[in-house]
Short mmCIF file of all heavy atoms in Angstrom, two decimals:
data_model
loop_
_atom_site.label_atom_id
_atom_site.label_comp_id
_atom_site.label_asym_id
_atom_site.label_seq_id
_atom_site.Cartn_x
_atom_site.Cartn_y
_atom_site.Cartn_z
N MET A 1 -10.17 82.94 13.16
CA MET A 1 -11.30 83.51 13.82
C MET A 1 -12.28 82.36 14.16
O MET A 1 -12.74 81.70 13.29
CB MET A 1 -11.93 84.52 12.84
CG MET A 1 -13.07 85.27 13.40
SD MET A 1 -13.56 86.54 12.25
CE MET A 1 -14.15 87.79 13.33
N GLY A 2 -12.51 82.22 15.41
CA GLY A 2 -13.41 81.12 15.85
C GLY A 2 -14.88 81.46 15.58
O GLY A 2 -15.24 82.59 15.24
N PHE A 3 -15.67 80.44 15.76
CA PHE A 3 -17.08 80.58 15.56
C PHE A 3 -17.73 81.66 16.40
O PHE A 3 -18.51 82.52 15.88
CB PHE A 3 -17.83 79.22 15.82
CG PHE A 3 -19.31 79.34 15.69
CD1 PHE A 3 -19.88 79.39 14.42
CD2 PHE A 3 -20.12 79.44 16.81
CE1 PHE A 3 -21.29 79.45 14.32
CE2 PHE A 3 -21.48 79.49 16.67
CZ PHE A 3 -22.05 79.55 15.40
N THR A 4 -17.39 81.78 17.62
CA THR A 4 -17.97 82.76 18.49
C THR A 4 -17.56 84.15 18.10
O THR A 4 -18.36 85.04 18.13
CB THR A 4 -17.56 82.57 20.01
OG1 THR A 4 -16.13 82.50 20.12
CG2 THR A 4 -18.13 81.28 20.51
N ASP A 5 -16.29 84.38 17.68
CA ASP A 5 -15.86 85.64 17.17
C ASP A 5 -16.64 86.03 15.89
O ASP A 5 -17.01 87.22 15.73
CB ASP A 5 -14.37 85.67 16.89
CG ASP A 5 -13.55 85.53 18.10
OD1 ASP A 5 -14.05 85.95 19.22
OD2 ASP A 5 -12.42 85.03 18.05
N LYS A 6 -16.82 85.10 14.99
CA LYS A 6 -17.55 85.35 13.76
C LYS A 6 -18.96 85.77 14.08
O LYS A 6 -19.55 86.66 13.52
CB LYS A 6 -17.53 84.15 12.84
CG LYS A 6 -16.25 83.95 12.17
CD LYS A 6 -16.29 82.76 11.21
CE LYS A 6 -14.92 82.46 10.69
NZ LYS A 6 -14.94 81.28 9.82
N ALA A 7 -19.58 85.04 15.03
CA ALA A 7 -21.03 85.29 15.45
C ALA A 7 -21.13 86.65 16.08
O ALA A 7 -22.03 87.42 15.72
CB ALA A 7 -21.47 84.22 16.38
N LYS A 8 -20.16 87.03 16.92
CA LYS A 8 -20.18 88.32 17.56
C LYS A 8 -20.05 89.45 16.57
O LYS A 8 -20.73 90.46 16.64
CB LYS A 8 -19.07 88.47 18.62
CG LYS A 8 -19.31 87.68 19.87
CD LYS A 8 -18.12 87.85 20.86
CE LYS A 8 -18.29 87.00 22.06
NZ LYS A 8 -17.14 87.20 22.94
N SER A 9 -19.12 89.30 15.55
CA SER A 9 -19.00 90.28 14.58
C SER A 9 -20.23 90.41 13.73
O SER A 9 -20.63 91.52 13.36
CB SER A 9 -17.83 89.97 13.64
OG SER A 9 -16.61 90.12 14.37
N LYS A 10 -20.90 89.25 13.37
CA LYS A 10 -22.13 89.33 12.55
C LYS A 10 -23.24 90.02 13.33
O LYS A 10 -23.99 90.82 12.77
CB LYS A 10 -22.50 87.89 12.17
CG LYS A 10 -23.58 87.88 11.14
CD LYS A 10 -23.19 88.74 9.97
CE LYS A 10 -23.26 88.09 8.69
NZ LYS A 10 -23.10 88.96 7.53
N VAL A 11 -23.36 89.75 14.61
CA VAL A 11 -24.37 90.38 15.40
C VAL A 11 -24.10 91.89 15.52
O VAL A 11 -24.98 92.70 15.40
CB VAL A 11 -24.45 89.78 16.86
CG1 VAL A 11 -25.25 90.59 17.83
CG2 VAL A 11 -25.00 88.38 16.78
N GLU A 12 -22.85 92.26 15.69
CA GLU A 12 -22.47 93.67 15.74
C GLU A 12 -22.84 94.32 14.37
O GLU A 12 -23.37 95.46 14.35
CB GLU A 12 -20.97 93.77 15.96
CG GLU A 12 -20.43 95.17 16.12
CD GLU A 12 -20.39 95.64 17.54
OE1 GLU A 12 -20.55 94.80 18.41
OE2 GLU A 12 -20.15 96.84 17.70
N GLN A 13 -22.56 93.69 13.34
CA GLN A 13 -22.86 94.22 11.98
C GLN A 13 -24.37 94.39 11.84
O GLN A 13 -24.81 95.40 11.35
CB GLN A 13 -22.32 93.31 10.91
CG GLN A 13 -22.24 93.89 9.58
CD GLN A 13 -21.53 92.97 8.61
OE1 GLN A 13 -21.07 91.89 8.95
NE2 GLN A 13 -21.35 93.40 7.41
N LEU A 14 -25.16 93.41 12.18
CA LEU A 14 -26.62 93.46 12.05
C LEU A 14 -27.20 94.53 12.97
O LEU A 14 -28.12 95.25 12.60
CB LEU A 14 -27.28 92.12 12.35
CG LEU A 14 -26.92 91.03 11.29
CD1 LEU A 14 -27.40 89.61 11.77
CD2 LEU A 14 -27.47 91.35 9.94
N THR A 15 -26.58 94.70 14.21
CA THR A 15 -27.09 95.66 15.11
C THR A 15 -26.84 97.13 14.51
O THR A 15 -27.71 97.94 14.56
CB THR A 15 -26.38 95.60 16.43
OG1 THR A 15 -26.61 94.26 16.98
CG2 THR A 15 -26.87 96.64 17.42
N GLY A 16 -25.67 97.27 13.95
CA GLY A 16 -25.39 98.52 13.29
C GLY A 16 -26.30 98.83 12.13
O GLY A 16 -26.76 99.98 11.95
N ALA A 17 -26.64 97.86 11.31
CA ALA A 17 -27.58 98.00 10.23
C ALA A 17 -28.95 98.44 10.78
O ALA A 17 -29.61 99.29 10.17
CB ALA A 17 -27.68 96.73 9.39
N ALA A 18 -29.42 97.81 11.88
CA ALA A 18 -30.68 98.14 12.40
C ALA A 18 -30.67 99.57 12.92
O ALA A 18 -31.67 100.33 12.69
CB ALA A 18 -31.00 97.16 13.53
N LYS A 19 -29.61 99.97 13.60
CA LYS A 19 -29.52 101.36 14.07
C LYS A 19 -29.56 102.35 12.96
O LYS A 19 -30.21 103.39 13.04
CB LYS A 19 -28.21 101.57 14.90
CG LYS A 19 -28.23 101.05 16.26
CD LYS A 19 -26.93 101.44 17.00
CE LYS A 19 -26.93 100.95 18.40
NZ LYS A 19 -25.64 101.27 19.04
N GLU A 20 -28.85 101.99 11.87
CA GLU A 20 -28.80 102.92 10.73
C GLU A 20 -30.20 103.04 10.13
O GLU A 20 -30.62 104.15 9.78
CB GLU A 20 -27.81 102.35 9.70
CG GLU A 20 -27.52 103.36 8.61
CD GLU A 20 -26.35 102.94 7.69
OE1 GLU A 20 -26.09 101.69 7.67
OE2 GLU A 20 -25.77 103.84 7.11
N ARG A 21 -30.97 101.97 10.00
CA ARG A 21 -32.28 102.03 9.39
C ARG A 21 -33.27 102.76 10.33
O ARG A 21 -34.06 103.55 9.81
CB ARG A 21 -32.82 100.60 9.17
CG ARG A 21 -32.11 99.98 7.96
CD ARG A 21 -32.81 98.64 7.56
NE ARG A 21 -32.04 98.05 6.44
CZ ARG A 21 -31.29 96.99 6.59
NH1 ARG A 21 -31.21 96.35 7.71
NH2 ARG A 21 -30.62 96.53 5.49
N ILE A 22 -33.14 102.53 11.60
CA ILE A 22 -34.00 103.26 12.55
C ILE A 22 -33.65 104.77 12.49
O ILE A 22 -34.59 105.60 12.51
CB ILE A 22 -33.81 102.74 14.06
CG1 ILE A 22 -34.37 101.36 14.12
CG2 ILE A 22 -34.46 103.66 15.02
CD1 ILE A 22 -34.08 100.61 15.42
N GLY A 23 -32.44 105.10 12.32
CA GLY A 23 -32.02 106.47 12.18
C GLY A 23 -32.62 107.09 10.94
O GLY A 23 -33.00 108.30 10.90
N ASP A 24 -32.62 106.30 9.83
CA ASP A 24 -33.24 106.76 8.57
C ASP A 24 -34.72 107.06 8.77
O ASP A 24 -35.21 108.10 8.36
CB ASP A 24 -33.08 105.76 7.51
CG ASP A 24 -31.63 105.75 6.91
OD1 ASP A 24 -30.89 106.74 7.08
OD2 ASP A 24 -31.29 104.71 6.31
N VAL A 25 -35.42 106.09 9.34
CA VAL A 25 -36.87 106.22 9.55
C VAL A 25 -37.24 107.42 10.47
O VAL A 25 -38.18 108.14 10.22
CB VAL A 25 -37.47 104.89 10.10
CG1 VAL A 25 -38.89 105.09 10.48
CG2 VAL A 25 -37.27 103.82 9.07
N THR A 26 -36.49 107.58 11.51
CA THR A 26 -36.79 108.60 12.53
C THR A 26 -36.08 109.94 12.25
O THR A 26 -36.29 110.89 12.99
CB THR A 26 -36.43 108.15 13.96
OG1 THR A 26 -35.03 107.89 14.02
CG2 THR A 26 -37.25 106.88 14.36
N ASP A 27 -35.33 109.94 11.16
CA ASP A 27 -34.55 111.13 10.78
C ASP A 27 -33.57 111.53 11.94
O ASP A 27 -33.45 112.76 12.23
CB ASP A 27 -35.45 112.29 10.37
CG ASP A 27 -34.71 113.31 9.61
OD1 ASP A 27 -33.74 112.96 8.86
OD2 ASP A 27 -35.07 114.56 9.66
N ASN A 28 -32.96 110.56 12.54
CA ASN A 28 -32.03 110.78 13.63
C ASN A 28 -30.63 110.59 13.11
O ASN A 28 -30.22 109.50 12.91
CB ASN A 28 -32.35 109.78 14.77
CG ASN A 28 -31.48 110.05 15.97
OD1 ASN A 28 -30.40 110.60 15.93
ND2 ASN A 28 -32.03 109.58 17.12
N GLN A 29 -29.94 111.70 12.80
CA GLN A 29 -28.64 111.67 12.21
C GLN A 29 -27.56 110.97 13.16
O GLN A 29 -26.73 110.22 12.69
CB GLN A 29 -28.12 113.08 11.94
CG GLN A 29 -28.88 113.86 10.91
CD GLN A 29 -28.65 113.24 9.53
OE1 GLN A 29 -27.58 112.61 9.23
NE2 GLN A 29 -29.61 113.40 8.64
N ARG A 30 -27.69 111.15 14.44
CA ARG A 30 -26.75 110.53 15.39
C ARG A 30 -26.82 109.01 15.35
O ARG A 30 -25.85 108.35 15.29
CB ARG A 30 -27.09 111.08 16.78
CG ARG A 30 -26.04 110.57 17.81
CD ARG A 30 -26.31 111.21 19.13
NE ARG A 30 -25.51 110.59 20.12
CZ ARG A 30 -25.83 110.52 21.42
NH1 ARG A 30 -26.96 111.05 21.86
NH2 ARG A 30 -25.05 109.93 22.29
N MET A 31 -28.13 108.53 15.40
CA MET A 31 -28.23 107.06 15.41
C MET A 31 -27.81 106.49 14.05
O MET A 31 -27.20 105.43 13.99
CB MET A 31 -29.68 106.67 15.69
CG MET A 31 -29.85 105.14 15.76
SD MET A 31 -31.55 104.72 16.35
CE MET A 31 -31.35 104.94 18.05
N ARG A 32 -28.07 107.19 12.97
CA ARG A 32 -27.67 106.76 11.62
C ARG A 32 -26.14 106.63 11.58
O ARG A 32 -25.60 105.68 11.08
CB ARG A 32 -28.20 107.70 10.60
CG ARG A 32 -27.99 107.27 9.17
CD ARG A 32 -28.49 108.29 8.21
NE ARG A 32 -29.85 108.61 8.43
CZ ARG A 32 -30.42 109.75 8.05
NH1 ARG A 32 -29.77 110.64 7.40
NH2 ARG A 32 -31.69 109.96 8.34
N GLY A 33 -25.53 107.63 12.08
CA GLY A 33 -24.03 107.66 12.13
C GLY A 33 -23.45 106.52 12.97
O GLY A 33 -22.50 105.86 12.62
N GLN A 34 -24.03 106.36 14.13
CA GLN A 34 -23.56 105.30 15.03
C GLN A 34 -23.75 103.93 14.39
O GLN A 34 -22.86 103.04 14.51
CB GLN A 34 -24.33 105.32 16.39
CG GLN A 34 -23.97 106.41 17.29
CD GLN A 34 -24.84 106.42 18.53
OE1 GLN A 34 -25.92 105.81 18.59
NE2 GLN A 34 -24.40 107.19 19.52
N GLY A 35 -24.84 103.67 13.71
CA GLY A 35 -25.10 102.44 13.03
C GLY A 35 -24.10 102.20 11.98
O GLY A 35 -23.56 101.08 11.83
N GLY A 36 -23.80 103.17 11.19
CA GLY A 36 -22.86 103.01 10.09
C GLY A 36 -21.47 102.74 10.61
O GLY A 36 -20.74 101.91 10.08
N SER A 37 -21.10 103.46 11.64
CA SER A 37 -19.84 103.27 12.30
C SER A 37 -19.68 101.88 12.84
O SER A 37 -18.63 101.21 12.78
CB SER A 37 -19.63 104.31 13.35
OG SER A 37 -18.41 104.13 14.07
N GLN A 38 -20.75 101.41 13.51
CA GLN A 38 -20.74 100.04 14.16
C GLN A 38 -20.59 98.95 13.06
O GLN A 38 -19.81 98.03 13.25
CB GLN A 38 -22.04 99.87 14.92
CG GLN A 38 -22.03 98.67 15.82
CD GLN A 38 -23.24 98.65 16.69
OE1 GLN A 38 -24.16 99.49 16.56
NE2 GLN A 38 -23.26 97.82 17.70
N GLN A 39 -21.28 99.17 11.95
CA GLN A 39 -21.10 98.22 10.81
C GLN A 39 -19.69 98.20 10.28
O GLN A 39 -19.11 97.11 10.06
CB GLN A 39 -22.01 98.56 9.69
CG GLN A 39 -23.47 98.25 9.91
CD GLN A 39 -24.32 98.59 8.74
OE1 GLN A 39 -24.28 97.87 7.72
NE2 GLN A 39 -25.00 99.74 8.84
N ARG A 40 -19.11 99.36 10.10
CA ARG A 40 -17.70 99.41 9.55
C ARG A 40 -16.70 98.81 10.55
O ARG A 40 -15.81 98.13 10.08
CB ARG A 40 -17.36 100.86 9.22
CG ARG A 40 -18.00 101.38 7.92
CD ARG A 40 -17.49 102.76 7.57
NE ARG A 40 -17.85 103.75 8.56
CZ ARG A 40 -18.96 104.37 8.68
NH1 ARG A 40 -19.96 104.07 7.84
NH2 ARG A 40 -19.14 105.31 9.58
N ASP A 41 -16.91 99.05 11.81
CA ASP A 41 -16.01 98.44 12.80
C ASP A 41 -16.03 96.94 12.75
O ASP A 41 -15.03 96.26 12.79
CB ASP A 41 -16.37 98.90 14.21
CG ASP A 41 -16.06 100.34 14.45
OD1 ASP A 41 -15.30 101.01 13.67
OD2 ASP A 41 -16.59 100.92 15.47
N ALA A 42 -17.24 96.39 12.63
CA ALA A 42 -17.42 94.90 12.57
C ALA A 42 -16.81 94.35 11.30
O ALA A 42 -16.07 93.31 11.33
CB ALA A 42 -18.84 94.57 12.65
N GLN A 43 -16.98 95.05 10.17
CA GLN A 43 -16.41 94.63 8.92
C GLN A 43 -14.91 94.68 8.92
O GLN A 43 -14.23 93.79 8.42
CB GLN A 43 -16.93 95.41 7.76
CG GLN A 43 -18.45 95.13 7.49
CD GLN A 43 -19.04 96.13 6.50
OE1 GLN A 43 -18.48 97.19 6.27
NE2 GLN A 43 -20.23 95.83 5.99
N THR A 44 -14.34 95.71 9.58
CA THR A 44 -12.90 95.92 9.64
C THR A 44 -12.32 94.77 10.55
O THR A 44 -11.27 94.22 10.19
CB THR A 44 -12.58 97.25 10.27
OG1 THR A 44 -13.13 98.26 9.43
CG2 THR A 44 -11.06 97.53 10.31
N ARG A 45 -12.94 94.47 11.64
CA ARG A 45 -12.49 93.38 12.50
C ARG A 45 -12.53 92.09 11.78
O ARG A 45 -11.55 91.31 11.86
CB ARG A 45 -13.39 93.35 13.74
CG ARG A 45 -12.86 92.55 14.83
CD ARG A 45 -13.69 92.55 16.14
NE ARG A 45 -14.12 93.90 16.54
CZ ARG A 45 -15.35 94.40 16.51
NH1 ARG A 45 -16.34 93.60 16.05
NH2 ARG A 45 -15.61 95.60 16.84
N GLN A 46 -13.56 91.81 10.98
CA GLN A 46 -13.63 90.54 10.25
C GLN A 46 -12.51 90.56 9.20
O GLN A 46 -11.87 89.46 9.04
CB GLN A 46 -14.93 90.40 9.57
CG GLN A 46 -16.09 90.16 10.44
CD GLN A 46 -17.47 90.17 9.74
OE1 GLN A 46 -17.57 90.63 8.59
NE2 GLN A 46 -18.49 89.67 10.33
N ALA A 47 -12.29 91.60 8.49
CA ALA A 47 -11.19 91.64 7.48
C ALA A 47 -9.83 91.39 8.12
O ALA A 47 -9.04 90.72 7.56
CB ALA A 47 -11.24 92.97 6.76
N GLY A 48 -9.59 92.01 9.27
CA GLY A 48 -8.34 91.80 9.95
C GLY A 48 -8.12 90.35 10.37
O GLY A 48 -6.99 89.80 10.23
N GLU A 49 -9.15 89.77 10.91
CA GLU A 49 -9.08 88.34 11.28
C GLU A 49 -8.85 87.42 10.09
O GLU A 49 -8.08 86.46 10.14
CB GLU A 49 -10.35 87.92 12.06
CG GLU A 49 -10.43 88.53 13.42
CD GLU A 49 -9.30 88.09 14.35
OE1 GLU A 49 -8.88 86.93 14.28
OE2 GLU A 49 -8.90 88.91 15.20
N GLN A 50 -9.51 87.73 8.98
CA GLN A 50 -9.28 86.94 7.77
C GLN A 50 -7.87 87.08 7.25
O GLN A 50 -7.29 86.15 6.75
CB GLN A 50 -10.30 87.37 6.68
CG GLN A 50 -11.73 86.91 7.00
CD GLN A 50 -12.79 87.52 6.06
OE1 GLN A 50 -12.44 88.41 5.32
NE2 GLN A 50 -13.96 87.07 6.23
N ALA A 51 -7.32 88.29 7.28
CA ALA A 51 -5.96 88.52 6.91
C ALA A 51 -5.00 87.69 7.77
O ALA A 51 -4.01 87.09 7.33
CB ALA A 51 -5.58 89.97 6.90
N LYS A 52 -5.24 87.72 9.10
CA LYS A 52 -4.35 86.98 9.98
C LYS A 52 -4.44 85.43 9.72
O LYS A 52 -3.46 84.74 9.71
CB LYS A 52 -4.69 87.19 11.44
CG LYS A 52 -4.27 88.57 11.98
CD LYS A 52 -4.27 88.69 13.47
CE LYS A 52 -5.61 88.38 14.10
NZ LYS A 52 -5.71 88.72 15.49
N GLU A 53 -5.64 85.00 9.41
CA GLU A 53 -5.85 83.59 9.12
C GLU A 53 -5.17 83.22 7.81
O GLU A 53 -4.58 82.16 7.69
CB GLU A 53 -7.36 83.33 9.01
CG GLU A 53 -7.72 81.86 8.92
CD GLU A 53 -9.17 81.63 8.98
OE1 GLU A 53 -9.88 82.29 9.74
OE2 GLU A 53 -9.69 80.81 8.17
N ALA A 54 -5.26 84.11 6.83
CA ALA A 54 -4.55 83.82 5.57
C ALA A 54 -3.03 83.77 5.75
O ALA A 54 -2.31 82.97 5.13
CB ALA A 54 -4.91 84.91 4.49
N GLY A 55 -2.49 84.67 6.60
CA GLY A 55 -1.07 84.70 6.91
C GLY A 55 -0.65 83.42 7.59
O GLY A 55 0.41 82.81 7.26
N ARG A 56 -1.46 82.91 8.51
CA ARG A 56 -1.11 81.63 9.15
C ARG A 56 -1.11 80.45 8.17
O ARG A 56 -0.25 79.62 8.21
CB ARG A 56 -2.14 81.36 10.31
CG ARG A 56 -1.99 82.22 11.57
CD ARG A 56 -2.93 81.78 12.62
NE ARG A 56 -3.15 82.92 13.47
CZ ARG A 56 -4.35 83.50 13.58
NH1 ARG A 56 -5.41 83.08 12.89
NH2 ARG A 56 -4.50 84.52 14.35
N LYS A 57 -2.04 80.43 7.25
CA LYS A 57 -2.15 79.37 6.31
C LYS A 57 -0.94 79.47 5.32
O LYS A 57 -0.37 78.41 4.98
CB LYS A 57 -3.43 79.48 5.48
CG LYS A 57 -4.66 79.04 6.29
CD LYS A 57 -5.93 79.08 5.40
CE LYS A 57 -7.11 78.70 6.24
NZ LYS A 57 -8.35 78.77 5.43
N LEU A 58 -0.55 80.62 4.97
CA LEU A 58 0.60 80.77 4.07
C LEU A 58 1.90 80.39 4.85
O LEU A 58 2.68 79.61 4.26
CB LEU A 58 0.72 82.29 3.68
CG LEU A 58 1.80 82.60 2.68
CD1 LEU A 58 1.58 81.92 1.43
CD2 LEU A 58 1.88 84.11 2.46
N ARG A 59 2.02 80.72 6.06
CA ARG A 59 3.20 80.32 6.84
C ARG A 59 3.23 78.82 7.00
O ARG A 59 4.26 78.16 6.85
CB ARG A 59 3.08 80.97 8.25
CG ARG A 59 4.30 80.66 9.16
CD ARG A 59 4.13 81.01 10.55
NE ARG A 59 2.93 80.22 11.09
CZ ARG A 59 2.17 80.59 12.07
NH1 ARG A 59 2.35 81.71 12.67
NH2 ARG A 59 1.19 79.77 12.50
N ASP A 60 2.09 78.21 7.27
CA ASP A 60 2.02 76.77 7.42
C ASP A 60 2.32 76.05 6.08
O ASP A 60 2.94 75.01 6.10
CB ASP A 60 0.63 76.32 7.85
CG ASP A 60 0.34 76.71 9.30
OD1 ASP A 60 1.28 77.06 10.03
OD2 ASP A 60 -0.86 76.67 9.72
N ALA A 61 2.00 76.64 5.00
CA ALA A 61 2.30 76.04 3.68
C ALA A 61 3.82 76.01 3.43
O ALA A 61 4.28 75.05 2.84
CB ALA A 61 1.56 76.78 2.58
N PHE A 62 4.48 76.97 3.88
CA PHE A 62 5.96 77.06 3.72
C PHE A 62 6.71 76.22 4.71
O PHE A 62 7.85 75.88 4.55
CB PHE A 62 6.47 78.51 3.75
CG PHE A 62 6.22 79.21 2.44
CD1 PHE A 62 5.27 80.24 2.40
CD2 PHE A 62 6.90 78.89 1.32
CE1 PHE A 62 5.02 80.86 1.24
CE2 PHE A 62 6.66 79.55 0.11
CZ PHE A 62 5.70 80.56 0.10
N THR A 63 6.13 75.92 5.85
CA THR A 63 6.80 75.17 6.90
C THR A 63 6.64 73.72 6.77
O THR A 63 7.20 72.89 7.50
CB THR A 63 6.42 75.65 8.33
OG1 THR A 63 5.01 75.48 8.41
CG2 THR A 63 6.80 77.05 8.57
N ARG A 64 5.81 73.25 5.88
CA ARG A 64 5.54 71.82 5.73
C ARG A 64 6.58 71.17 4.89
O ARG A 64 7.35 71.47 4.15
CB ARG A 64 4.22 71.56 5.07
CG ARG A 64 3.08 71.87 6.03
CD ARG A 64 1.80 71.52 5.43
NE ARG A 64 0.75 71.88 6.39
CZ ARG A 64 -0.52 71.74 6.15
NH1 ARG A 64 -0.94 71.24 5.06
NH2 ARG A 64 -1.41 72.06 7.04
#
C-alpha cells in the first residue's frame, strides 16, 4: 500500500468519524450510519492491503 493509498484511507476514515459525530450531535441517524459505514470501509480496505503486503513479504522470504 503506497503512501497515497494510506493517506486516502486515513482521510476516508476521518471523514467517516466526523460524519458520525455530526450525526450524534444533530440526532441524524442517517448521517451517523453513513459515517460508521465509511469508517468500516476504510478500515477494511487498509486491512486487505496489509494482508496483501504480508503475503508478498512471505512469498519473497521463500524465494530468496
